[in-house]
Amino acid sequence: MTDSRDDSPSCFLEQKAETVLEWHRVLSLVAAQARSSLGAERCRRLTPESDLPASQTRLRETAEMVALREGDDPFPSLSLPDVREALGRSGKDAVLEPRELRDISILIGLGLEVVRYLGKHRTEAPAVAALAMEVESVHRAHPVMVAIDRAVEPDAQIRDSATPELRRLMHQAQDLKSTMRRRLDTILASTRYEAVLQERYFAQREGRYVVPIKAEMRSKIQGIVHDVSASGATVFIEPRELVELNNSIKVAELEVDREVTRILHELSSLVAGQGAILLAMLEALTALDCVSAKAAFSAQVGGCAVALNARGRIVLRDARHPLLVLAKDGVVPNDILIDESVRVLVVSGPNTGGKTVSLKIVGLFALMVRAGLQPPCGAGSDMAFFPEVYADIGDAQDLTRDLSSFSAHMTQMIQLLATAEEWRAGGSASDRPCRALVLLDEPVTSTDPAEGAALAEALLIRLSEVGMKVVATTHYNALKALAQTTIGFQNASVEFDVATLSPTYRLFLGIPGGSSAIEIAGRLGMDETILDHARSLLTREDAKVESMLEDLQQKQHRLAEDVAKASAFRAQAEQAAAEAAEVAERLRSGEHEQRKGTKRKLTDELMRARAQVQTILDELKADRTLVKVKAAKQKLAEL
């Protein structure tokens, strides 16, 4: 996926949404799971797909890779070398270095490994196999790998056995160096050099063998000076008797270098001949490493495969924010359920109650599924596909443009509405799928509350009319009333435990939530007289609404507990019923087996009786005396 977005207002708003939703932090975490720098780079550049089928394909790829990684035969680790520059240079007839050739051999080897692996697992991972189609042509590059491996060691050194000529030249150079070392040993041990040597060792300078001579004695030795020590006390001289042998060694080494260069040029030409195939294979393997990183990220955050729909239905079970999952233990999961009929969800409740977290979960999940990332949620989750995601969360104040928070927020809303009008077909959008998801955190604040509430109400109605799915947080009672009385709108509230001053992060659908500001201030230690004064300043209607909302939340809490208990009792009853059915089945099976055993026993006895009767009849036929008849009658009576 490449980022093809332009500089239009909608593009700017989408990029801002990605920023406030911390999309790039998520991508960095995915990139950390890649095994190659190329795969990590691709992960960091992931762009959410713009159409539903492509998004579904990305999710299938990840789901298949998750299954492969969890199986007995996991997917190969793709530690790919970056050979793009080397391939480009080889196409320009450049001579590649041994290290570059070694990397190209590793690339081909990985391609062959992937092809063999997918040959065994193609039926269970068709989407992954389709992604690797470009790797199939790796067999055409196999001779290149063989040629490189024949000439280059695993540590990127040229093998002596690369060619017969190189072997001969290497042996020749080695023989000359052995001769040189013997002569040097003779020189170092001779009495002639005993007085002039600084130390008994030899060295190399500019590829030529030299001996360390005391500076004041250099006139005593005829030869060529190649170097002087830092202190100036030692002069490194090539004695005259070694000049010709040094020359021979230099010539031999030059011949070796020429043969090595010829070999490298030949190998580089082989690489250039398969350059297009190797580049396409590198791209495909990079894509596979990226998918493998997505699967590893899913395992890291507890991701789950989700279904995608184009009807605007959001069913997220046990949803958790991925960044929170990685930041701390015990993140409370939540159910977020917004069906097709709901255009605008108004989330209310106290500050620090988790409203913004719920908002970000929905937005981040909408981006994740489009990029093929499995969000951390429970099985059976279903996420709506939104081609565009907009978010106005946090302080939008722009000092560089001299914009207040209110002005900056309004500027974004104006841009958003202008974008919506571009693709609005006209009339009500209630029968059309949602094109965009809009997340608004406390819309139209930082101004007069009455005017702000009125403007926010008008804004939400217009966004609903143009076919957008909106999730908004608010403290405005007017918006809570709007959501309670308007078709296509729905209230939701986050639960807050005032006693412990901590959010439960549970989202309750269908009822609004109160701010509990005065109660929370009291728990934090605010003076009671100030609290009483604040309560007296509340209008009667506001006080009633706040009291009603607190009562509703308490009832909702008790209802949730009752539902949880009922679910537990039902599960226990279902388990007991299953156990009873199992016992009944065992009894039926035992009774059936007992009947079968009894029947077999009776059959055996009947057969024996028949045999005895036949014996008696046979005896009567042979001897029909009165005694025999009486005996037979007695036996038959017994039978």
Side-chain angles (χ1 to χ4, degrees):
M1 274 181 299
T2 57
D3 194 341
S4 58
R5 294 177 293 188
D6 53 32
D7 295 325
S8 64
S10 62
C11 178
F12 168 76
L13 291 172
E14 286 187 85
Q15 291 174 342
K16 186 169 182 61
E18 291 178 2
T19 299
V20 299
L21 293 172
E22 300 179 279
W23 174 238
H24 295 290
R25 277 190 64 193
V26 173
L27 294 186
S28 294
L29 292 169
V30 177
Q33 300 297 323
R35 301 308 304 269
S36 68
S37 60
L38 289 172
E41 177 186 336
R42 188 181 183 93
C43 291
R44 282 189 288 268
R45 292 188 293 106
L46 277 178
T47 303
E49 297 285 3
S50 57
D51 65 89
L52 179 59
S55 299
Q56 291 171 327
T57 299
R58 299 289 87 79
L59 284 172
R60 277 197 300 272
E61 292 166 355
T62 304
E64 290 177 2
M65 187 65 78
V66 167
L68 291 175
R69 287 170 57 89
E70 292 176 350
D72 296 331
D73 184 18
F75 194 81
S77 174
L78 296 178
S79 300
L80 301 171
D82 187 354
V83 297
R84 291 174 297 183
E85 183 183 351
L87 291 175
R89 288 175 47 242
S90 71
K92 298 176 182 178
D93 203 31
V95 176
L96 301 183
E97 297 293 329
R99 175 189 54 78
E100 295 173 312
L101 292 167
R102 182 77 259 157
D103 286 347
I104 289 169
S105 173
I106 291 172
L107 173 68
I108 298 171
L110 285 171
L112 290 169
E113 186 179 2
V114 167
V115 168
R116 284 193 296 268
Y117 180 87
L118 291 178
K120 296 186 293 183
H121 299 278
R122 188 177 304 277
T123 56
E124 60 193 278
V128 172
L131 198 62
M133 285 184 62
E134 294 292 345
V135 186
E136 299 287 346
S137 56
V138 66
H139 294 292
R140 294 168 59 183
H142 183 250
V144 177
M145 184 185 78
V146 173
I148 293 174
D149 290 349
R150 187 186 302 121
V152 183
E153 298 275 8
D155 62 354
Q157 298 297 314
I158 296 295
R159 297 181 188 271
D160 295 355
S161 59
T163 65
E165 178 64 8
L166 180 62
R167 185 196 298 273
R168 185 187 69 80
L169 293 172
M170 293 284 284
H171 285 173
Q172 178 181 317
Q174 200 61 41
D175 289 344
L176 290 171
K177 290 176 183 178
S178 296
T179 301
M180 172 64 77
R181 282 191 289 273
R182 287 194 296 271
R183 288 195 185 181
L184 285 167
D185 289 341
T186 301
I187 288 173
L188 296 175
S190 68
T191 56
R192 178 188 166 201
Y193 279 85
E194 184 176 5
V196 299
L197 282 174
Q198 189 70 270
E199 291 184 58
R200 290 184 180 278
Y201 71 91
F202 63 86
Q204 280 188 298
R205 293 293 186 272
E206 299 174 350
R208 301 181 75 87
Y209 289 89
V210 295
V211 291
I213 303 296
K214 296 175 182 178
E216 65 272 17
M217 296 290 187
R218 84 177 172 184
S219 60
K220 302 291 185 181
I221 301 297
Q222 292 184 347
I224 302 169
V225 176
H226 284 277
D227 196 8
V228 179
S229 67
S231 64
T234 304
V235 179
F236 295 93
I237 293 179
E238 177 186 358
R240 186 174 61 181
E241 59 261 46
L242 297 182
V243 169
E244 188 56 36
L245 186 54
N246 262 326
N247 288 342
S248 297
I249 291 174
K250 186 66 175 178
V251 170
E253 288 179 338
L254 289 174
E255 289 178 346
V256 168
D257 289 343
R258 276 195 295 270
E259 178 63 10
V260 167
T261 301
R262 188 193 68 77
I263 293 169
L264 294 177
H265 189 275
E266 185 177 289
L267 293 174
S268 300
S269 297
L270 290 176
V271 170
Q274 301 295 330
I277 289 175
L278 293 173
L279 199 58
M281 184 175 67
L282 179 64
E283 177 68 17
L285 291 175
T286 300
L288 287 171
D289 188 28
C290 179
V291 175
S292 182
K294 293 179 188 180
F297 176 76
S298 178
Q300 187 182 31
V301 300
C304 182
V306 300
L308 274 183
N309 69 84
R311 297 186 295 278
R313 184 177 68 253
I314 299 174
V315 180
L316 301 178
R317 305 190 184 281
D318 294 332
R320 303 173 304 283
H321 195 293
L323 298 181
L324 289 181
V325 169
L326 296 177
K328 62 180 183 179
D329 297 328
V331 175
V332 179
N334 214 335
D335 291 342
I336 301 175
L337 313 174
I338 312 174
D339 66 29
E340 302 93 317
S341 64
V342 177
R343 289 285 182 179
V344 179
L345 182 70
V346 177
V347 183
S348 52
N351 292 323
T352 70
K355 298 190 299 297
T356 305
V357 171
S358 298
L359 205 65
K360 288 186 174 183
I361 285 176
V362 175
L364 199 53
F365 280 26
L367 294 176
M368 291 177 70
V369 295
R370 286 169 53 195
L373 294 173
Q374 294 185 341
C377 58
S381 294
D382 192 1
M383 185 65 200
F385 172 78
F386 297 105
E388 298 165 17
V389 176
Y390 306 119
D392 187 10
I393 301 173
D395 188 3
Q397 187 176 31
D398 190 344
L399 298 178
T400 63
R401 298 173 58 195
D402 195 25
L403 291 177
S404 67
S405 293
F406 175 79
S407 299
H409 283 297
M410 285 302 97
T411 300
Q412 289 188 49
M413 290 302 98
I414 292 168
Q415 292 176 331
L416 176 59
L417 289 170
T419 299
E421 291 296 339
E422 292 177 2
W423 48 263
R424 183 185 182 190
S428 174
S430 59
D431 58 341
R432 298 199 310 273
C434 293
R435 177 185 175 93
L437 173 67
V438 180
L439 308 170
L440 303 177
D441 191 19
E442 307 288 349
V444 198
T445 54
S446 304
T447 187
D448 176 74
E451 291 188 18
L455 188 54
E457 181 174 341
L459 175 64
L460 293 184
I461 291 174
R462 174 57 67 86
L463 292 174
S464 173
E465 288 175 347
V466 297
M468 294 188 173
K469 190 91 162 185
V470 183
V471 182
T473 66
T474 190
H475 287 289
Y476 289 145
N477 286 335
L479 296 188
K480 302 173 190 177
L482 174 70
Q484 201 69 23
T485 58
T486 306
I487 295 176
F489 282 62
Q490 185 179 20
N491 268 310
S493 60
V494 291
E495 187 182 44
F496 187 85
D497 190 341
V498 178
T500 62
L501 294 178
S502 60
T504 66
Y505 297 107
R506 290 200 295 176
L507 187 69
F508 292 123
L509 297 174
I511 63 169
S515 64
S516 304
I518 296 177
E519 187 68 21
I520 293 174
R523 293 287 182 179
L524 290 172
M526 179 69 73
D527 188 279
E528 190 64 32
T529 58
I530 297 176
L531 299 177
D532 290 339
H533 189 195
R535 291 189 185 96
S536 68
L537 293 175
L538 281 175
T539 65
R540 180 174 298 179
E541 289 75 11
D542 287 338
K544 286 182 178 179
V545 168
E546 192 69 22
S547 177
M548 177 192 69
L549 292 179
E550 288 180 7
D551 183 57
L552 276 174
Q553 281 204 325
Q554 291 175 5
K555 289 180 179 178
Q556 181 68 38
H557 181 75
R558 289 195 297 269
L559 178 61
E561 290 180 344
D562 291 343
V563 168
K565 290 178 182 177
S567 298
F569 289 146
R570 180 178 178 180
Q572 292 174 4
E574 289 176 349
Q575 182 178 358
E579 291 174 354
E582 185 180 351
V583 170
E585 179 61 28
R586 286 203 300 268
L587 288 173
R588 281 194 295 271
S589 298
E591 184 179 357
H592 180 65
E593 290 298 323
Q594 187 177 9
R595 287 179 178 177
K596 286 172 62 177
T598 302
K599 184 177 180 181
R600 283 195 299 270
K601 183 177 179 182
L602 290 173
T603 301
D604 292 342
E605 291 180 358
L606 180 59
M607 293 300 294
R608 284 196 299 271
R610 285 179 176 174
Q612 292 177 20
V613 169
Q614 188 61 45
T615 301
I616 293 169
L617 292 175
D618 291 342
E619 290 176 351
L620 283 175
K621 288 178 182 178
D623 186 0
R624 297 184 179 182
T625 61
L626 183 59
V627 175
K628 283 290 184 182
V629 170
K630 287 182 177 181
K633 183 178 180 181
Q634 180 64 32
K635 289 181 180 179
L636 289 173
E638 291 174 358
L639 287 174

